[in-house]
Amino acid sequence: QVQLAESGGGVVQPGRSLRLSCAASGFTFSSYGMHWVRQAPGKGLEWVAVIWFDASNNNYADSVKGRFTISRDNSKNTLYLQMNSLRAEDTAVYYCAREGQFGSGGGFDYWGQGTLVTVSS
Amino acid sequence: SYELTQPPSVSVSPGQTARVTCSGDALSKQYAYWYQQKPGQAPVLVIYKDTERPSGIPERFSGSSSGTTVTLTISGVQAEDEADYYCQSADSSATWVFGGGTKLTVL
């Protein structure tokens, strides 16, 4: 069965960096676009970033553009999110999500359980 | 970027029909997706491409679309349906967006 498992969250000081990982299993990872979605405590879902199935393209929400970098290693079935210059407003649960094969601009058919990132001094 | 607008809350009695709306200009050109999220859990896809239901999702969940508004309908609401519901879409510039979420309360 499809499984997505995030790791790498924790407490970090403002201005510092953190890298999240998402280990995928149960499907052909290299065939799917992958996303990061976050949810601040008590708030709604916010899309963060996308990477194409072959890493040929990516895109970011304006709130993280220039600070976060999404990447993937298809040989390791792993998705990454490098987060630099972290701010208090980046505090959230970060989910990795698989984009279903619904056509371009599709939705997310599988989600991980999330990893909590807390930015605080 | 664009926005998707949902009502903050909807309340319904068990057995009744709940309707959650989502409005946005992009919805006339792009499909909408709906997610259910219960406290402490990851979201679950309940409707894709406006009206399609993934396997394993109960038949009481359905979706519809008209112009720039999509609607999630839950017929015969059960206590277990109490959750937050989010609509989501994407635009042609490879930007995804979620609605603000609707808290469904089963009275």
Side-chain angles (χ1 to χ4, degrees):
Chain A
Q1 71 281 24
V2 173
Q3 290 191 336
L4 299 170
E6 302 93 340
S7 61
V11 180
V12 61
Q13 294 179 329
R16 303 298 291 266
S17 300
L18 203 62
R19 188 176 84 155
L20 306 182
S21 299
C22 171
S25 60
F27 66 103
T28 304
F29 181 70
S30 59
S31 295
Y32 288 83
M34 296 295 297
H35 298 249
W36 287 99
V37 176
R38 69 184 181 183
Q39 186 170 35
K43 302 298 184 182
L45 301 172
E46 180 187 14
W47 174 77
V48 173
V50 58
I51 187 166
W52 263 232
F53 68 99
D54 57 357
S56 61
N57 199 4
N58 54 54
N59 199 23
Y60 301 88
D62 288 344
S63 58
V64 306
K65 200 169 290 185
R67 300 187 299 122
F68 289 12
T69 302
I70 189 171
S71 63
R72 65 191 297 161
D73 186 336
N74 284 347
S75 69
K76 295 182 178 179
N77 291 342
T78 303
L79 175 72
Y80 302 100
L81 185 67
Q82 177 68 43
M83 304 184 294
N84 298 332
S85 303
L86 282 161
R87 306 167 180 168
E89 54 264 37
D90 296 319
T91 294
V93 173
Y94 285 73
Y95 296 101
C96 65
R98 188 181 87 167
E99 183 177 337
Q101 294 183 330
F102 305 122
S104 63
F108 314 121
D109 59 354
Y110 286 93
W111 298 65
Q113 284 305 303
T115 187
L116 176 62
V117 173
T118 303
V119 184
S120 174
S121 54
Chain B
S1 63
Y2 64 96
E3 294 183 353
L4 297 177
T5 302
Q6 298 180 234
S9 62
V10 168
S11 299
V12 65
S13 299
Q16 299 298 306
T17 296
R19 294 181 179 85
V20 182
T21 59
C22 173
S23 299
D25 290 342
L27 296 178
S28 62
K29 308 179 188 67
Q30 300 287 343
Y31 286 120
Y33 300 78
W34 288 96
Y35 304 88
Q36 176 193 68
Q37 187 181 34
K38 296 182 179 179
Q41 298 183 19
V44 173
L45 180 69
V46 295
I47 294 291
Y48 67 95
K49 294 176 73 173
D50 290 350
T51 61
E52 303 297 316
R53 192 175 55 252
S55 61
I57 300 301
E59 290 184 7
R60 63 181 181 273
F61 288 86
S62 64
S64 62
S65 175
S66 179
T68 58
T69 299
V70 294
T71 301
L72 172 69
T73 300
I74 310 172
S75 304
V77 167
Q78 300 181 6
E80 67 197 51
D81 299 330
E82 186 163 286
D84 294 326
Y85 291 86
Y86 295 90
C87 62
Q88 170 259 312
S89 189
D91 70 11
S92 57
S93 62
T95 300
W96 277 252
V97 66
F98 288 92
T102 298
K103 180 176 181 60
L104 175 65
T105 300
V106 182
L107 301 171

